[in-house]
Amino acid sequence: MSDQNELKLFTGNAHPELAQKVAERLGIELGRLTVSRFSDGEIRVKIEESIRGCDVFILQPTCAPVNESLMELLVLQDAFKRASAHRVVPVIPYYGYARQDKKLKPREPITAKLIADLIMTAGADRIFALDLHAGQIQGFFNAPVDHLHAAPLLARYYVESGLKASETVVVSPDVGGVERATIFSEYLGSGLAIIAKRRPAPNQCEVTEFIGDVNHKTAILVDDLIDTGGSALQAAGLLAERGASRILACCTHPVLSGDALRKLDASPLEEIVVTDTIPIPQQKRIPKLKILSVAPILADAIRRIHCHQSVSTLFETNSQ
Ligand code: R5P
């Protein structure tokens, strides 16, 4: 590691459990700070140790409560910048507001760009993110973005569980996810199927087309996130109708808002594999939910970024 600029890892209130795992993996203590609220709800940050000249990584997914998590990240960045950190690097395992990444209708915002602007203004020197909703979001930041994927971790889980590639079809639940599903099917050496869907209203979806053959096959739905569960439910219903023998699903970000898990629990989905980019409270951990940790990927990448080493090898291996 660079001996000039000490590596320090801090976290806000969004996902301290993941930050702790990453710190352990790095062999360091989490940095000491207090993130609390003033009586009117404003965020108060106090860094409890000197970080002058340090390489500061702030791990904070911008997950629910989304606006609180985001604002904490911004205030933290400002505090570290003003305390003379050498570099401030937000580590954003889940980047919220990302699905509004273009104007689909007149008079709509592009929040993925707005949030990127806020993060830049708050003093980010570079960004480290995992499975952004769309790769192009990297271009919304005026700084280098290290963008890693959970696909190798998820795919390895299926390989190790003994899934046979010739009997498996990876399914993209929408056209926007075809590239992701293609890469996933290449990891597994399996077939590919594609569902086309439309959204008649926000958070609602309808299947319109299906390309592929899942009859007597194990179908694995691959998505970047599951939110209301609507896409996964519609897709699972269709795959059952098309004769899939087993229907599995995986995603990187378990947003799982509202009663998504209750609906998924009652669906034909046999297993849902997710990662821990977003905390999942104990009461939501239903038996068919399998959680894999991204802490090793995050720790490896943080170490490499700190040492000015390439992170591209992690795309292939995500070494444990
Ligand atoms: C869509 O573009 C995303 O990749 C997900 O498929 C979608 O956001 C999942 O949302 P929900 O679970 O609410 O259908």
Side-chain angles (χ1 to χ4, degrees):
M1 293 199 185
S2 153
D3 45 13
Q4 282 181 336
N5 307 111
E6 191 185 345
L7 164 61
K8 296 215 177 196
L9 177 67
F10 289 85
T11 186
N13 289 314
H15 202 347
E17 189 189 329
L18 178 61
Q20 182 58 42
K21 280 189 195 165
V22 174
E24 281 166 20
R25 188 87 189 181
L26 284 166
I28 60 175
E29 297 278 319
L30 265 182
R32 284 180 291 116
L33 56 70
T34 307
V35 184
S36 56
R37 297 290 181 275
F38 289 102
S39 63
D40 64 351
E42 286 179 11
I43 292 164
R44 173 179 177 269
V45 163
K46 174 87 174 67
I47 305 165
E48 310 282 5
E49 60 190 85
S50 171
I51 51 83
R52 186 175 292 269
C54 292
D55 225 2
V56 172
F57 292 80
I58 311 168
L59 191 151
Q60 177 91 332
T62 52
C63 56
V66 182
N67 300 331
E68 290 290 316
S69 301
L70 172 66
M71 199 62 207
E72 273 191 10
L73 175 62
L74 299 175
V75 175
L76 281 166
Q77 284 181 224
D78 187 72
F80 284 111
K81 206 72 197 169
R82 290 178 194 282
S84 305
H86 170 64
R87 286 195 303 181
V88 175
V89 185
V91 177
I92 311 176
Y94 167 67
Y95 183 68
Y97 277 113
R99 282 173 283 174
Q100 298 176 72
D101 59 359
K102 54 185 151 324
K103 281 177 75 169
L104 290 173
K105 293 188 183 135
R107 299 180 295 281
E108 286 183 339
I110 302 180
T111 56
K113 166 70 170 135
L114 170 66
I115 304 304
D117 285 345
L118 292 172
I119 288 170
M120 290 312 305
T121 300
D125 290 290
R126 60 189 304 125
I127 318 293
F128 173 23
L130 197 68
D131 280 326
L132 291 165
H133 177 62
Q136 305 88 295
I137 291 172
Q138 293 169 70
F140 292 172
F141 295 93
N142 288 326
V145 177
D146 292 300
H147 184 213
L148 291 189
H149 304 284
L153 174 73
L154 294 163
R156 190 170 56 237
Y157 169 80
Y158 289 115
V159 170
E160 288 173 1
S161 70
L163 220 65
K164 289 200 176 66
S166 58
E167 293 164 14
T168 303
V169 178
V170 169
V171 182
S172 174
D174 54 42
V175 174
V178 172
E179 191 187 344
R180 183 180 304 115
T182 305
I183 293 169
F184 206 92
S185 69
E186 283 166 2
Y187 276 120
L188 294 182
S190 69
L192 178 72
I194 300 164
I195 292 173
K197 73 178 186 209
R198 59 182 283 274
R199 288 201 180 274
N203 289 133
Q204 288 177 21
C205 67
E206 280 172 14
V207 171
T208 53
E209 301 289 341
F210 178 74
I211 304 166
D213 179 11
V214 291
N215 198 24
H216 301 305
K217 297 272 172 76
T218 296
I220 308 179
L221 280 164
V222 176
D223 214 338
D224 62 326
L225 64 91
I226 299 177
D227 181 358
T228 64
S231 305
L233 280 175
Q234 292 266 330
L238 177 92
L239 296 170
E241 275 171 28
R242 299 282 174 142
S245 51
R246 296 177 71 199
I247 308 170
L248 313 174
C250 69
C251 75
T252 307
H253 309 299
V255 178
L256 302 174
S257 65
D259 62 352
L261 270 172
R262 188 189 54 75
K263 291 186 283 183
L264 293 168
D265 205 18
S267 76
L269 285 168
E270 183 183 314
E271 185 186 54
I272 304 158
V273 184
V274 301
T275 80
D276 59 353
T277 58
I278 295 174
I280 303 179
Q282 210 58 41
Q283 68 273 17
K284 286 194 171 181
R285 298 188 181 204
I286 56 173
K288 65 164 79 169
L289 193 69
K290 169 86 189 167
I291 306 169
L292 307 180
S293 184
V294 293
I297 305 172
L298 299 185
D300 279 0
I302 287 172
R303 189 181 286 113
R304 284 165 189 257
I305 294 166
H306 173 62
C307 297
H308 305 287
Q309 291 171 349
S310 166
V311 297
S312 62
T313 50
L314 296 177
F315 284 93
E316 289 109 45
T317 61
N318 280 351
S319 57
Q320 288 290 296

